[in-house]
Short mmCIF file of all heavy atoms in Angstrom, two decimals:
data_model
loop_
_atom_site.label_atom_id
_atom_site.label_comp_id
_atom_site.label_asym_id
_atom_site.label_seq_id
_atom_site.Cartn_x
_atom_site.Cartn_y
_atom_site.Cartn_z
N MET A 1 105.66 43.47 80.17
CA MET A 1 106.86 43.99 79.53
C MET A 1 107.47 45.21 80.19
O MET A 1 106.68 46.06 80.71
CB MET A 1 106.59 44.27 78.07
CG MET A 1 106.79 43.31 77.15
SD MET A 1 106.67 43.96 75.46
CE MET A 1 106.92 42.57 74.58
N THR A 2 108.77 45.25 80.27
CA THR A 2 109.39 46.42 80.84
C THR A 2 109.61 47.48 79.70
O THR A 2 109.51 47.20 78.58
CB THR A 2 110.67 46.06 81.52
OG1 THR A 2 111.62 45.69 80.53
CG2 THR A 2 110.58 45.02 82.57
N LEU A 3 109.82 48.62 80.19
CA LEU A 3 110.04 49.81 79.23
C LEU A 3 111.39 49.48 78.47
O LEU A 3 111.44 49.85 77.30
CB LEU A 3 110.27 51.12 80.01
CG LEU A 3 110.38 52.35 79.21
CD1 LEU A 3 109.20 52.52 78.29
CD2 LEU A 3 110.66 53.54 80.03
N LYS A 4 112.33 48.88 79.08
CA LYS A 4 113.60 48.53 78.40
C LYS A 4 113.31 47.49 77.21
O LYS A 4 113.90 47.62 76.10
CB LYS A 4 114.61 47.92 79.31
CG LYS A 4 115.99 47.74 78.80
CD LYS A 4 116.93 47.31 79.86
CE LYS A 4 118.34 47.18 79.31
NZ LYS A 4 119.36 46.90 80.29
N THR A 5 112.50 46.54 77.54
CA THR A 5 112.17 45.59 76.47
C THR A 5 111.44 46.27 75.29
O THR A 5 111.65 45.96 74.14
CB THR A 5 111.25 44.49 77.06
OG1 THR A 5 111.96 43.87 78.25
CG2 THR A 5 110.99 43.40 76.06
N CYS A 6 110.53 47.08 75.64
CA CYS A 6 109.71 47.79 74.60
C CYS A 6 110.72 48.69 73.65
O CYS A 6 110.56 48.76 72.56
CB CYS A 6 108.64 48.64 75.18
SG CYS A 6 107.26 47.67 75.84
N SER A 7 111.63 49.33 74.41
CA SER A 7 112.56 50.16 73.67
C SER A 7 113.50 49.36 72.77
O SER A 7 113.78 49.82 71.65
CB SER A 7 113.42 50.87 74.75
OG SER A 7 112.62 51.77 75.51
N ILE A 8 113.89 48.14 73.20
CA ILE A 8 114.68 47.30 72.35
C ILE A 8 113.88 46.81 71.16
O ILE A 8 114.38 46.76 70.04
CB ILE A 8 115.22 46.12 73.16
CG1 ILE A 8 116.26 46.64 74.22
CG2 ILE A 8 115.81 45.00 72.23
CD1 ILE A 8 116.74 45.61 75.25
N ALA A 9 112.57 46.39 71.39
CA ALA A 9 111.75 46.04 70.32
C ALA A 9 111.49 47.14 69.27
O ALA A 9 111.51 46.94 68.09
CB ALA A 9 110.39 45.46 70.79
N PHE A 10 111.42 48.37 69.81
CA PHE A 10 111.19 49.57 68.91
C PHE A 10 112.44 49.75 68.08
O PHE A 10 112.25 49.88 66.83
CB PHE A 10 111.03 50.75 69.80
CG PHE A 10 110.99 52.07 69.12
CD1 PHE A 10 109.75 52.47 68.46
CD2 PHE A 10 112.08 52.95 68.93
CE1 PHE A 10 109.74 53.64 67.74
CE2 PHE A 10 112.05 54.10 68.26
CZ PHE A 10 110.80 54.43 67.67
N THR A 11 113.59 49.71 68.67
CA THR A 11 114.86 49.84 67.81
C THR A 11 115.06 48.79 66.85
O THR A 11 115.40 49.04 65.71
CB THR A 11 116.02 49.95 68.83
OG1 THR A 11 115.78 51.04 69.80
CG2 THR A 11 117.34 50.28 68.09
N ILE A 12 114.92 47.54 67.19
CA ILE A 12 115.16 46.45 66.40
C ILE A 12 114.09 46.41 65.25
O ILE A 12 114.39 46.12 64.05
CB ILE A 12 115.23 45.07 67.15
CG1 ILE A 12 116.44 45.10 67.97
CG2 ILE A 12 115.16 43.97 66.19
CD1 ILE A 12 116.54 43.82 68.93
N GLY A 13 112.87 46.73 65.61
CA GLY A 13 111.77 46.72 64.56
C GLY A 13 112.12 47.78 63.53
O GLY A 13 111.91 47.50 62.35
N TRP A 14 112.39 48.94 63.95
CA TRP A 14 112.60 50.01 62.87
C TRP A 14 113.83 49.77 62.14
O TRP A 14 114.01 50.13 60.91
CB TRP A 14 112.58 51.41 63.50
CG TRP A 14 111.13 51.82 63.80
CD1 TRP A 14 110.56 52.01 64.96
CD2 TRP A 14 110.10 52.03 62.83
NE1 TRP A 14 109.31 52.46 64.79
CE2 TRP A 14 108.98 52.41 63.49
CE3 TRP A 14 110.10 52.00 61.41
CZ2 TRP A 14 107.76 52.67 62.83
CZ3 TRP A 14 108.97 52.24 60.71
CH2 TRP A 14 107.77 52.62 61.42
N LEU A 15 114.92 49.19 62.84
CA LEU A 15 116.19 48.91 62.02
C LEU A 15 115.85 47.81 61.06
O LEU A 15 116.40 47.89 59.94
CB LEU A 15 117.27 48.47 63.01
CG LEU A 15 117.90 49.60 63.80
CD1 LEU A 15 118.87 48.98 64.77
CD2 LEU A 15 118.51 50.57 62.86
N ALA A 16 114.98 46.85 61.36
CA ALA A 16 114.64 45.80 60.36
C ALA A 16 113.87 46.43 59.24
O ALA A 16 114.10 46.11 58.07
CB ALA A 16 113.84 44.72 61.05
N ALA A 17 112.91 47.30 59.55
CA ALA A 17 112.20 47.94 58.56
C ALA A 17 113.04 48.73 57.59
O ALA A 17 112.88 48.61 56.31
CB ALA A 17 111.15 48.81 59.09
N LEU A 18 113.99 49.49 58.16
CA LEU A 18 114.84 50.31 57.26
C LEU A 18 115.79 49.44 56.46
O LEU A 18 116.04 49.70 55.23
CB LEU A 18 115.62 51.29 58.08
CG LEU A 18 114.83 52.35 58.74
CD1 LEU A 18 115.66 53.22 59.74
CD2 LEU A 18 114.25 53.35 57.70
N THR A 19 116.39 48.40 57.05
CA THR A 19 117.27 47.55 56.35
C THR A 19 116.71 46.79 55.27
O THR A 19 117.18 46.73 54.16
CB THR A 19 118.01 46.56 57.39
OG1 THR A 19 118.61 47.34 58.39
CG2 THR A 19 118.97 45.69 56.73
N PHE A 20 115.56 46.03 55.58
CA PHE A 20 114.87 45.26 54.58
C PHE A 20 114.29 46.07 53.55
O PHE A 20 114.24 45.68 52.36
CB PHE A 20 114.00 44.17 55.21
CG PHE A 20 114.70 43.03 55.87
CD1 PHE A 20 114.76 42.99 57.24
CD2 PHE A 20 115.33 42.09 55.16
CE1 PHE A 20 115.32 41.96 57.85
CE2 PHE A 20 116.00 41.02 55.71
CZ PHE A 20 115.93 40.97 57.12
N GLY A 21 113.78 47.34 53.92
CA GLY A 21 113.19 48.20 52.93
C GLY A 21 114.29 48.64 51.94
O GLY A 21 113.99 48.71 50.78
N TRP A 22 115.43 48.93 52.52
CA TRP A 22 116.49 49.39 51.55
C TRP A 22 116.96 48.23 50.63
O TRP A 22 117.21 48.48 49.48
CB TRP A 22 117.70 49.90 52.42
CG TRP A 22 118.82 50.28 51.54
CD1 TRP A 22 120.01 49.52 51.32
CD2 TRP A 22 118.89 51.46 50.71
NE1 TRP A 22 120.83 50.20 50.49
CE2 TRP A 22 120.23 51.37 50.08
CE3 TRP A 22 118.08 52.52 50.53
CZ2 TRP A 22 120.64 52.31 49.18
CZ3 TRP A 22 118.60 53.55 49.62
CH2 TRP A 22 119.78 53.43 49.00
N ILE A 23 117.07 47.05 51.18
CA ILE A 23 117.44 45.88 50.36
C ILE A 23 116.45 45.67 49.24
O ILE A 23 116.81 45.51 48.13
CB ILE A 23 117.66 44.66 51.22
CG1 ILE A 23 118.82 44.72 52.12
CG2 ILE A 23 117.67 43.42 50.44
CD1 ILE A 23 118.95 43.59 53.21
N ALA A 24 115.12 45.85 49.58
CA ALA A 24 114.07 45.65 48.54
C ALA A 24 114.16 46.70 47.49
O ALA A 24 113.99 46.49 46.28
CB ALA A 24 112.75 45.58 49.21
N LEU A 25 114.42 47.96 47.88
CA LEU A 25 114.44 49.09 46.94
C LEU A 25 115.72 49.19 46.11
O LEU A 25 115.64 49.49 45.02
CB LEU A 25 114.32 50.43 47.67
CG LEU A 25 112.93 50.64 48.33
CD1 LEU A 25 112.93 51.92 49.08
CD2 LEU A 25 111.83 50.81 47.17
N ALA A 26 116.77 48.65 46.72
CA ALA A 26 118.12 48.81 45.99
C ALA A 26 118.48 47.53 45.25
O ALA A 26 119.58 47.40 44.72
CB ALA A 26 119.18 49.03 46.94
N ALA A 27 117.50 46.62 45.15
CA ALA A 27 117.79 45.25 44.56
C ALA A 27 118.08 45.50 43.03
O ALA A 27 117.35 46.30 42.37
CB ALA A 27 116.75 44.31 44.79
N PRO A 28 118.91 44.74 42.40
CA PRO A 28 119.11 44.85 41.01
C PRO A 28 117.82 44.33 40.33
O PRO A 28 117.15 43.47 40.88
CB PRO A 28 120.23 43.88 40.77
CG PRO A 28 120.46 43.10 41.85
CD PRO A 28 119.86 43.83 43.01
N PRO A 29 117.63 44.78 39.09
CA PRO A 29 116.35 44.37 38.41
C PRO A 29 116.31 42.83 38.20
O PRO A 29 115.24 42.21 38.02
CB PRO A 29 116.44 45.16 37.13
CG PRO A 29 117.50 46.16 37.22
CD PRO A 29 118.32 45.74 38.33
N GLU A 30 117.45 42.18 37.96
CA GLU A 30 117.44 40.80 37.68
C GLU A 30 117.27 39.91 38.96
O GLU A 30 117.23 38.71 38.75
CB GLU A 30 118.74 40.36 37.06
CG GLU A 30 119.97 40.66 37.80
CD GLU A 30 120.59 41.99 37.51
OE1 GLU A 30 120.03 42.74 36.77
OE2 GLU A 30 121.67 42.28 38.22
N GLU A 31 117.04 40.43 40.14
CA GLU A 31 116.82 39.70 41.28
C GLU A 31 115.37 39.15 41.24
O GLU A 31 114.41 39.73 40.79
CB GLU A 31 116.90 40.56 42.57
CG GLU A 31 116.66 39.84 43.82
CD GLU A 31 116.84 40.67 45.08
OE1 GLU A 31 117.95 41.03 45.29
OE2 GLU A 31 115.78 40.95 45.72
N PRO A 32 115.24 37.84 41.62
CA PRO A 32 113.98 37.31 41.57
C PRO A 32 112.83 37.95 42.28
O PRO A 32 113.10 38.55 43.37
CB PRO A 32 114.12 35.84 42.16
CG PRO A 32 115.58 35.56 42.04
CD PRO A 32 116.28 36.88 42.11
N ALA A 33 111.68 37.99 41.79
CA ALA A 33 110.59 38.69 42.50
C ALA A 33 110.21 38.16 43.84
O ALA A 33 109.90 38.91 44.77
CB ALA A 33 109.29 38.66 41.64
N LEU A 34 110.52 36.87 44.02
CA LEU A 34 110.18 36.20 45.43
C LEU A 34 111.08 36.88 46.43
O LEU A 34 110.68 37.10 47.62
CB LEU A 34 110.46 34.77 45.21
CG LEU A 34 110.27 34.00 46.57
CD1 LEU A 34 108.79 34.11 47.09
CD2 LEU A 34 110.61 32.54 46.34
N LEU A 35 112.34 37.13 46.21
CA LEU A 35 113.29 37.65 47.14
C LEU A 35 112.84 39.08 47.41
O LEU A 35 112.95 39.48 48.66
CB LEU A 35 114.75 37.65 46.62
CG LEU A 35 115.47 36.27 46.61
CD1 LEU A 35 116.82 36.42 46.03
CD2 LEU A 35 115.43 35.64 47.96
N ARG A 36 112.44 39.82 46.49
CA ARG A 36 112.03 41.18 46.80
C ARG A 36 110.73 41.18 47.62
O ARG A 36 110.58 42.00 48.53
CB ARG A 36 111.78 41.89 45.42
CG ARG A 36 111.44 43.35 45.65
CD ARG A 36 111.36 44.25 44.31
NE ARG A 36 112.62 44.09 43.68
CZ ARG A 36 112.76 43.85 42.37
NH1 ARG A 36 111.75 43.61 41.66
NH2 ARG A 36 114.04 43.89 41.93
N THR A 37 109.81 40.26 47.35
CA THR A 37 108.61 40.14 48.15
C THR A 37 108.96 39.72 49.52
O THR A 37 108.40 40.29 50.49
CB THR A 37 107.69 39.09 47.54
OG1 THR A 37 107.39 39.46 46.15
CG2 THR A 37 106.39 38.99 48.27
N ILE A 38 109.90 38.87 49.76
CA ILE A 38 110.29 38.43 51.17
C ILE A 38 110.90 39.61 51.84
O ILE A 38 110.58 39.86 53.00
CB ILE A 38 111.22 37.28 51.05
CG1 ILE A 38 110.51 36.07 50.66
CG2 ILE A 38 111.89 37.00 52.46
CD1 ILE A 38 111.42 34.89 50.28
N ASN A 39 111.65 40.34 51.20
CA ASN A 39 112.35 41.55 51.88
C ASN A 39 111.27 42.62 52.24
O ASN A 39 111.31 43.23 53.24
CB ASN A 39 113.36 42.20 50.92
CG ASN A 39 114.62 41.50 50.80
OD1 ASN A 39 115.04 40.79 51.76
ND2 ASN A 39 115.26 41.48 49.72
N ILE A 40 110.28 42.81 51.32
CA ILE A 40 109.18 43.75 51.63
C ILE A 40 108.37 43.20 52.85
O ILE A 40 107.95 44.10 53.74
CB ILE A 40 108.32 43.98 50.40
CG1 ILE A 40 109.07 44.69 49.38
CG2 ILE A 40 106.99 44.78 50.72
CD1 ILE A 40 108.38 44.80 48.01
N MET A 41 108.10 41.93 52.94
CA MET A 41 107.34 41.31 54.02
C MET A 41 108.18 41.56 55.40
O MET A 41 107.61 41.96 56.44
CB MET A 41 107.09 39.92 53.77
CG MET A 41 106.14 39.62 52.71
SD MET A 41 104.52 40.39 52.94
CE MET A 41 103.93 39.51 54.31
N PHE A 42 109.46 41.35 55.31
CA PHE A 42 110.31 41.57 56.55
C PHE A 42 110.21 43.02 56.89
O PHE A 42 110.23 43.32 58.10
CB PHE A 42 111.73 41.07 56.27
CG PHE A 42 111.88 39.58 56.44
CD1 PHE A 42 112.91 38.94 55.68
CD2 PHE A 42 111.11 38.85 57.35
CE1 PHE A 42 113.10 37.58 55.88
CE2 PHE A 42 111.35 37.48 57.52
CZ PHE A 42 112.27 36.86 56.69
N ALA A 43 110.37 43.84 55.91
CA ALA A 43 110.25 45.34 56.25
C ALA A 43 108.94 45.68 56.90
O ALA A 43 108.90 46.44 57.79
CB ALA A 43 110.51 46.19 55.00
N ALA A 44 107.90 45.15 56.39
CA ALA A 44 106.57 45.37 56.93
C ALA A 44 106.44 44.92 58.34
O ALA A 44 105.84 45.50 59.14
CB ALA A 44 105.46 44.77 56.04
N MET A 45 106.92 43.67 58.64
CA MET A 45 106.91 43.17 59.94
C MET A 45 107.75 43.95 60.89
O MET A 45 107.38 44.17 62.07
CB MET A 45 107.42 41.68 59.97
CG MET A 45 106.49 40.72 59.35
SD MET A 45 106.89 39.03 59.50
CE MET A 45 108.37 38.82 58.65
N GLY A 46 108.82 44.46 60.49
CA GLY A 46 109.70 45.30 61.31
C GLY A 46 108.99 46.63 61.59
O GLY A 46 109.01 47.11 62.79
N ALA A 47 108.38 47.19 60.63
CA ALA A 47 107.56 48.48 60.77
C ALA A 47 106.45 48.18 61.74
O ALA A 47 106.11 48.96 62.70
CB ALA A 47 107.03 48.97 59.52
N GLY A 48 105.79 47.01 61.67
CA GLY A 48 104.68 46.71 62.62
C GLY A 48 105.13 46.46 64.01
O GLY A 48 104.56 46.98 64.92
N ALA A 49 106.37 45.89 64.17
CA ALA A 49 106.89 45.80 65.52
C ALA A 49 107.31 47.12 66.06
O ALA A 49 107.13 47.30 67.29
CB ALA A 49 108.10 44.85 65.48
N GLY A 50 107.80 47.97 65.25
CA GLY A 50 108.26 49.34 65.70
C GLY A 50 107.03 50.12 66.10
O GLY A 50 107.01 50.77 67.16
N ILE A 51 105.94 50.03 65.32
CA ILE A 51 104.72 50.81 65.64
C ILE A 51 104.14 50.29 66.93
O ILE A 51 103.71 51.02 67.85
CB ILE A 51 103.75 50.80 64.42
CG1 ILE A 51 104.29 51.67 63.28
CG2 ILE A 51 102.37 51.35 64.84
CD1 ILE A 51 103.52 51.42 62.00
N TRP A 52 104.02 48.93 67.09
CA TRP A 52 103.43 48.31 68.11
C TRP A 52 104.14 48.69 69.41
O TRP A 52 103.64 49.09 70.44
CB TRP A 52 103.38 46.80 68.05
CG TRP A 52 102.89 46.02 69.12
CD1 TRP A 52 101.60 45.85 69.58
CD2 TRP A 52 103.73 45.38 70.15
NE1 TRP A 52 101.52 45.18 70.76
CE2 TRP A 52 102.76 44.82 71.10
CE3 TRP A 52 105.06 45.24 70.35
CZ2 TRP A 52 103.25 44.08 72.18
CZ3 TRP A 52 105.49 44.44 71.42
CH2 TRP A 52 104.61 43.99 72.40
N SER A 53 105.51 48.65 69.40
CA SER A 53 106.28 48.85 70.66
C SER A 53 106.21 50.38 70.91
O SER A 53 106.24 50.79 72.11
CB SER A 53 107.68 48.47 70.42
OG SER A 53 108.35 49.13 69.27
N TRP A 54 106.09 51.27 69.93
CA TRP A 54 105.94 52.63 70.20
C TRP A 54 104.66 52.97 70.86
O TRP A 54 104.65 53.80 71.87
CB TRP A 54 106.07 53.46 68.86
CG TRP A 54 105.73 54.94 69.14
CD1 TRP A 54 104.72 55.61 68.70
CD2 TRP A 54 106.64 55.94 69.83
NE1 TRP A 54 104.84 56.94 69.02
CE2 TRP A 54 106.00 57.12 69.84
CE3 TRP A 54 107.74 55.73 70.49
CZ2 TRP A 54 106.53 58.23 70.40
CZ3 TRP A 54 108.28 56.94 71.07
CH2 TRP A 54 107.71 58.12 71.02
N MET A 55 103.52 52.32 70.51
CA MET A 55 102.31 52.48 71.12
C MET A 55 102.34 51.97 72.56
O MET A 55 101.78 52.65 73.51
CB MET A 55 101.19 51.77 70.42
CG MET A 55 101.03 52.33 68.95
SD MET A 55 100.65 53.99 68.91
CE MET A 55 98.94 53.96 68.76
N ARG A 56 103.11 50.90 72.75
CA ARG A 56 103.26 50.42 74.08
C ARG A 56 104.09 51.41 75.05
O ARG A 56 103.74 51.61 76.18
CB ARG A 56 103.97 49.07 74.15
CG ARG A 56 103.24 47.92 73.52
CD ARG A 56 102.34 47.17 74.34
NE ARG A 56 102.90 46.93 75.60
CZ ARG A 56 102.55 45.86 76.38
NH1 ARG A 56 101.56 45.14 76.02
NH2 ARG A 56 103.15 45.65 77.53
N ILE A 57 105.12 52.04 74.40
CA ILE A 57 105.93 52.93 75.22
C ILE A 57 105.17 54.22 75.61
O ILE A 57 105.20 54.64 76.67
CB ILE A 57 107.17 53.32 74.33
CG1 ILE A 57 108.18 52.12 74.29
CG2 ILE A 57 107.86 54.55 74.98
CD1 ILE A 57 109.26 52.34 73.29
N LYS A 58 104.26 54.63 74.65
CA LYS A 58 103.48 55.83 74.94
C LYS A 58 102.45 55.58 76.02
O LYS A 58 102.07 56.46 76.77
CB LYS A 58 102.69 56.31 73.62
CG LYS A 58 103.57 56.98 72.62
CD LYS A 58 102.75 57.47 71.57
CE LYS A 58 101.89 58.52 72.01
NZ LYS A 58 101.41 59.37 70.94
N ARG A 59 101.99 54.34 76.21
CA ARG A 59 101.04 53.93 77.25
C ARG A 59 101.80 53.68 78.57
O ARG A 59 101.13 53.30 79.54
CB ARG A 59 100.24 52.79 76.84
CG ARG A 59 99.11 53.16 75.83
CD ARG A 59 98.23 52.02 75.57
NE ARG A 59 98.97 50.81 75.15
CZ ARG A 59 98.52 49.61 74.89
NH1 ARG A 59 97.30 49.41 75.21
NH2 ARG A 59 99.21 48.69 74.46
N GLY A 60 103.09 53.65 78.51
CA GLY A 60 103.82 53.34 79.79
C GLY A 60 104.32 51.94 79.79
O GLY A 60 104.85 51.49 80.82
N CYS A 61 104.13 51.26 78.73
CA CYS A 61 104.56 49.77 78.59
C CYS A 61 104.05 49.01 79.68
O CYS A 61 104.14 47.94 79.90
CB CYS A 61 106.07 49.83 78.35
SG CYS A 61 106.67 48.32 77.49
#
């Protein structure tokens, strides 16, 4: 992987984490629990991708 690819994965991962995390937290109370769970899972996957790519960047990718 190149440094540019790792940087793109970092940015997209954290944007996904922030976006889906916000959607999960700002959801109205009448939203089905399944949708909230899916949003939380997407946020967790985005955070995982962001952390993974950050660790790769620190090692020189």
Side-chain angles (χ1 to χ4, degrees):
M1 267 189 179
T2 66
L3 185 61
K4 187 173 183 176
T5 305
C6 289
S7 299
I8 290 170
F10 175 81
T11 303
I12 291 174
W14 283 113
L15 284 176
L18 291 172
T19 302
F20 286 107
W22 177 256
I23 290 171
L25 290 174
E30 60 271 359
E31 181 177 293
L34 179 62
L35 288 177
R36 187 172 296 131
T37 303
I38 291 171
N39 287 328
I40 291 170
M41 293 301 293
F42 280 148
M45 286 189 294
I51 291 170
W52 176 78
S53 59
W54 175 249
M55 298 303 260
R56 298 271 312 204
I57 289 170
K58 284 184 68 162
R59 288 188 298 173
C61 206

